[in-house]
C-alpha cells in the first residue's frame, strides 16, 4: 500500500533537486531536517498555506515556481501520490518518434496529421480536474486538502488553467485529457495516435476534413475547453499524386522527410530523420551567447564548459538520486539517420570562431592574446569543439550542479 503521508522520509527521497535549487551549500540531511520542520509548522490536518508563487518565463510563455523549498517538496509528494494512484505514466518521446518513423515507411496511402492544442496548460479546466481527483477518494484527506490549497493559491493570484513549470500541472493535464486520447485511439480510421503534452500525431485512413471533424467532436465530448491550433497544424497525404516528391514533418525536435511514394510497389518509403531546424538554430544562438558572455566576463573555463555542454552529452539527475537520464547532442536525437546538420553545425562553428564579426571576433582576440604558454592551448581547445564527434562518440561530460547552473545562465 502506498504511504501517502508527507513525512521526513518522503521529503528525503524526493528532495535532491530541490536541495540543489534552494540550499546547495548545506548538508543534505540538514536541509531535509530544516525543511521538514518548516513543513510541520505550515501543515495541519485541515490547512497548508502556500506562499505566493513566483512568475517565471518558459520558452516565452508565463510560468510559475514555488517560492520556498517546503512548498515545492509538499507539491512533489502530492504529485508523486497522484501519479501512482491514478496510474499516470509519462509519454516516451523517443518511442513515439520511433513508431512514427516505422509507420511512415509503410507503402499504404495515409493521411498524416501533426497537430497542436492551443494554449494547452492555460486553457485546461483546473476546477474540473481538482474536483474529479478529490471526488475519487484515492487520495488521503491530507493530500486532498493540499491539492485544494494549491488550487486556492493559484486562484488568489489570478492564474488561469494549470501553471507551467510545476510537475503537478503535467500530471493533472494527463488525467484531464486521457479520455480524449482513449477515444481517438478507438476510432476505426485511426491506426496510430500519439500525444506528447500538447503535440499530437495521427495516422488516419480517411480524408483531412473527416479527421478534423473527429478531433473537434472528441475534444468537445472529453475536454470541451481545448481547441486545435490551426496555425500550427500540418496535414499531408501520402501516395497522393497532387503532392510533391516528399513531405517534411516537424515533431518532437525531429524533422522527418517522408517520401510520397515508395521506390517500387510493395517496398518501404524512404524516411530521412534530421534534427529540426528550430533546434539547430537554438544551438547556434547558444554558441553566440556563450561567446558574448565570455567577451564580458572573460571566464574562459566557463566558455569551454558551455561549448562542451552544447557539443556533447551529460547526465541529468532526477528527483530521486538513483534516477539518471542522459541528455545532449546524441541522447536528445538518437534517431537521426542523416548527419548533414551535424556537419553544418561544425561548419557554422568554425566559420563563427574565425569571423571578424562580433561577438566571435572580440572573444577569440582575448583568447589569442591571453599570453603565456596557455594561449595556444586555449585556442586549440576552442578549435577542437565538434558536434559530429560529440554525437558519434557519445562523449559524456561531468558537470557539478553549480557549474551546470552557471553554464545555462547566459541562455
Amino acid at each position: 500500500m502506498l504511504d501517502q503521508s508527507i513525512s521526513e522520509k518522503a521529503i528525503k527521497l524526493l528532495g535532491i533537486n530541490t536541495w540543489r535549487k534552494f540550499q546547495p551549500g548545506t548538508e543534505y540531511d540538514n536541509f531535509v531536517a530544516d525543511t521538514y520542520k518548516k513543513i510541520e509548522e505550515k501543515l495541519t490536518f485541515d490547512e497548508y498555506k502556500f506562499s505566493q508563487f513566483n512568475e517565471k518565463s518558459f520558452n516565452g510563455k508565463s510560468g510559475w515556481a514555488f517560492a520556498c523549498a517546503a512548498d515545492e517538496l509538499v507539491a512533489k509528494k502530492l504529485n508523486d501520490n497522484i501519479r501512482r494512484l491514478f496510474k499516470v505514466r509519462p509519454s516516451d518521446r523517443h518511442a513515439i518518434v520511433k513508431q512514427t518513423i516505422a509507420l511512415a515507411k509503410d507503402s499504404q496511402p495515409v493521411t498524416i496529421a501533426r497537430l497542436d492544442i492551443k494554449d494547452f496548460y492555460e486553457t485546461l479546466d483546473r476546477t474540473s480536474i481538482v474536483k474529479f481527483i478529490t471526488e475519487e477518494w484515492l487520495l488521503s484527506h491530507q493530500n486532498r486538502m493540499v491539492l485544494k490549497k494549491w488550487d486556492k493559491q493559484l486562484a488568489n493570484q489570478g492564474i488561469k488553467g494549470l501553471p507551467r513549470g510545476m510537475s503537478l500541472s503535467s500530471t493533472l493535464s494527463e488525467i484531464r485529457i486521457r479520455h480524449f486520447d482513449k477515444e481517438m485511439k478507438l476510432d476505426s480510421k485511426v491506426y496510430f495516435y500519439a500525444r506528447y503534452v500538447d503535440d499530437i500525431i495521427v495516422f488516419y485512413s480517411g480524408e483531412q476534413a473527416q479527421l478534423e471533424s473527429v478531433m473537434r467532436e472528441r475534444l468537445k465530448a472529453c475536454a470541451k475547453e481545448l481547441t486545435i491550433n490551426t496555425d500550427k497544424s500540418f496535414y499531408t497525404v501520402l501516395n497522393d499524386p497532387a503532392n510533391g516528391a516528399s513531405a517534411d514533418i516537424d515533431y518532437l525536435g525531429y524533422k522527418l522527410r517522408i517520401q510520397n511514394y515508395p521506390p517500387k510497389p510493395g517496398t518501404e518509403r524512404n524516411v530521412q530523420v534530421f534534427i529540426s531546424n528550430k533546434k539547430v538554430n537554438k544551438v547556434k544562438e547558444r554558441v553566440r551567447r556563450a561567446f558574448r558572455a565570455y567577451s564580458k566576463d572573460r571566464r574562459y573555463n566557463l566558455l569551454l564548459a558551455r561549448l562542451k555542454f552544447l557539443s556533447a552529452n551529460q547526465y541529468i539527475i532526477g528527483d530521486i538520486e538513483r534516477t539518471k537520464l542522459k541528455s545532449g547532442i546524441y541522447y536528445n536525437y538518437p534517431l537521426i539517420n542523416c548527419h548533414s546538420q551535424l556537419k553544418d553545425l561544425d561548419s557554422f562553428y568554425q566559420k563563427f570562431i574565425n569571423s571578424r564579426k562580433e561577438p566571435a571576433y572580440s572573444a577569440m582576440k582575448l583568447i589569442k592574446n591571453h599570453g603565456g604558454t596557455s594561449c595556444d592551448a586555449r585556442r586549440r581547445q576552442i578549435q577542437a569543439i565538434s558536434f559530429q564527434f560529440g554525437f558519434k562518440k557519445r562523449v559524456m561530460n561531468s558537470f557539478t550542479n553549480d557549474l551546470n547552473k552557471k553554464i545555462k545562465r547566459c541562455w
Side-chain angles (χ1 to χ4, degrees):
M1 182 178 291
L2 176 65
D3 180 4
Q4 297 188 41
S5 62
I6 302 171
S7 62
E8 187 169 358
K9 180 181 177 182
I11 297 306
K12 186 172 185 177
L13 185 65
L14 295 170
I16 292 293
N17 281 339
T18 304
W19 164 61
R20 287 173 172 155
K21 183 191 299 184
F22 287 95
Q23 290 179 261
T26 64
E27 290 292 329
Y28 184 59
D29 286 347
N30 293 339
F31 163 78
V32 171
D34 180 58
T35 304
Y36 184 65
K37 183 179 179 181
K38 291 175 182 176
I39 290 172
E40 282 187 310
E41 292 171 355
K42 299 179 73 174
L43 182 67
T44 64
F45 185 74
D46 287 313
E47 184 69 31
Y48 185 87
K49 184 171 176 57
F50 283 94
S51 301
Q52 184 161 316
F53 304 131
N54 295 328
E55 188 169 7
K56 299 183 74 175
S57 177
F58 292 91
N59 297 320
K61 292 191 175 183
S62 291
W64 301 89
F66 295 101
C68 64
D71 287 358
E72 182 167 292
L73 286 172
V74 165
K76 278 187 177 181
K77 177 55 180 170
L78 171 61
N79 183 60
D80 185 61
N81 290 339
I82 293 174
R83 292 186 76 89
R84 290 169 183 266
L85 293 168
F86 287 83
K87 297 180 172 56
V88 177
R89 295 178 179 84
S91 299
D92 186 327
R93 171 175 166 261
H94 295 307
I96 292 172
V97 176
K98 194 172 183 179
Q99 182 73 355
T100 300
I101 295 167
L103 289 170
K105 290 179 178 179
D106 191 89
S107 61
Q108 298 302 310
V110 63
T111 298
I112 303 177
R114 187 267 188 228
L115 307 164
D116 175 87
I117 298 177
K118 189 174 183 179
D119 298 328
F120 182 61
Y121 282 112
E122 293 83 359
T123 309
L124 279 165
D125 185 352
R126 189 176 73 241
T127 302
S128 294
I129 305 169
V130 172
K131 185 173 184 289
F132 170 77
I133 291 173
T134 53
E135 290 182 354
E136 283 293 292
W137 292 96
L138 293 174
L139 284 175
S140 67
H141 170 81
Q142 185 184 65
N143 278 262
R144 293 198 307 275
M145 176 272 295
V146 170
L147 178 60
K148 290 176 181 177
K149 296 299 180 181
W150 175 78
D151 176 46
K152 183 178 180 181
Q153 182 58 39
L154 291 171
N156 289 342
Q157 291 185 230
I159 300 170
K160 305 294 184 183
L162 295 172
R164 291 177 183 269
M166 295 184 182
S167 56
L168 193 52
S169 294
S170 176
T171 300
L172 299 186
S173 70
E174 291 297 314
I175 293 172
R176 174 62 176 165
I177 204 170
R178 61 172 29 166
H179 184 51
F180 168 75
D181 293 340
K182 182 179 178 181
E183 289 298 309
M184 286 299 301
K185 291 175 182 178
L186 289 174
D187 189 279
S188 60
K189 291 189 176 182
V190 172
Y191 68 89
F192 178 65
Y193 166 93
R195 180 184 55 79
Y196 189 87
V197 190
D198 56 352
D199 289 325
I200 296 171
I201 195 157
V202 185
F203 282 67
Y204 192 70
S205 60
E207 297 178 354
Q208 177 181 331
Q210 291 177 303
L211 176 56
E212 289 175 339
S213 177
V214 168
M215 293 285 291
R216 284 195 298 269
E217 290 175 6
R218 298 292 187 273
L219 277 175
K220 187 176 181 180
C222 305
K224 61 184 179 181
E225 69 271 25
L226 299 178
T227 57
I228 298 298
N229 189 346
T230 55
D231 293 338
K232 293 185 178 180
S233 297
F234 174 85
Y235 297 85
T236 188
V237 182
L238 301 180
N239 288 17
D240 186 342
N243 291 337
S246 63
D248 287 355
I249 299 177
D250 276 11
Y251 192 56
L252 302 185
Y254 289 93
K255 179 172 74 175
L256 310 183
R257 181 162 292 162
I258 306 171
Q259 194 176 23
N260 190 5
Y261 284 97
K264 296 178 181 178
T267 62
E268 289 187 338
R269 288 189 185 88
N270 181 38
V271 180
Q272 294 176 288
V273 186
F274 304 87
I275 305 171
S276 74
N277 293 339
K278 183 178 179 181
K279 297 297 183 182
V280 171
N281 290 335
K282 187 175 183 179
V283 171
K284 291 179 180 180
E285 180 57 27
R286 286 183 170 182
V287 168
R288 294 186 187 99
R289 291 185 179 186
F291 278 88
R292 191 174 294 120
Y294 172 69
S295 295
K296 294 177 181 178
D297 62 31
R298 304 190 182 191
R299 300 176 68 181
Y300 173 77
N301 289 335
L302 184 54
L303 169 65
L304 186 61
R306 284 171 171 152
L307 297 174
K308 287 181 176 180
F309 184 96
L310 291 171
S311 62
N313 308 278
Q314 44 278 324
Y315 285 106
I316 298 174
I317 308 299
D319 286 327
I320 300 175
E321 181 65 38
R322 63 177 177 272
T323 59
K324 288 186 177 183
L325 303 175
K326 294 176 181 177
S327 176
I329 194 67
Y330 173 80
Y331 292 101
N332 288 351
Y333 310 103
L335 301 177
I336 65 171
N337 57 25
C338 293
H339 296 173
S340 59
Q341 287 166 309
L342 297 172
K343 294 178 183 178
D344 289 344
L345 277 171
D346 280 350
S347 177
F348 156 79
Y349 178 76
Q350 291 301 324
K351 288 178 181 177
F352 177 80
I353 63 174
N354 289 294
S355 171
R356 297 186 68 84
K357 294 181 180 179
E358 300 297 350
Y361 183 71
S362 294
M364 290 304 296
K365 190 175 181 181
L366 286 169
I367 291 169
K368 291 172 184 177
N369 294 339
H370 176 69
T373 56
S374 64
C375 173
D376 285 343
R378 287 188 172 190
R379 182 171 50 82
R380 287 195 298 270
Q381 283 179 319
I382 296 298
Q383 291 173 335
I385 294 295
S386 170
F387 295 88
Q388 288 187 84
F389 186 82
F391 182 93
K392 292 179 179 179
K393 298 298 182 180
R394 305 183 194 182
V395 176
M396 293 299 297
N397 295 311
S398 179
F399 301 122
T400 64
N401 185 59
D402 183 54
L403 180 55
N404 201 42
K405 287 181 180 178
K406 290 176 181 176
I407 286 171
K408 297 176 181 179
R409 198 166 287 161
C410 75
W411 296 335

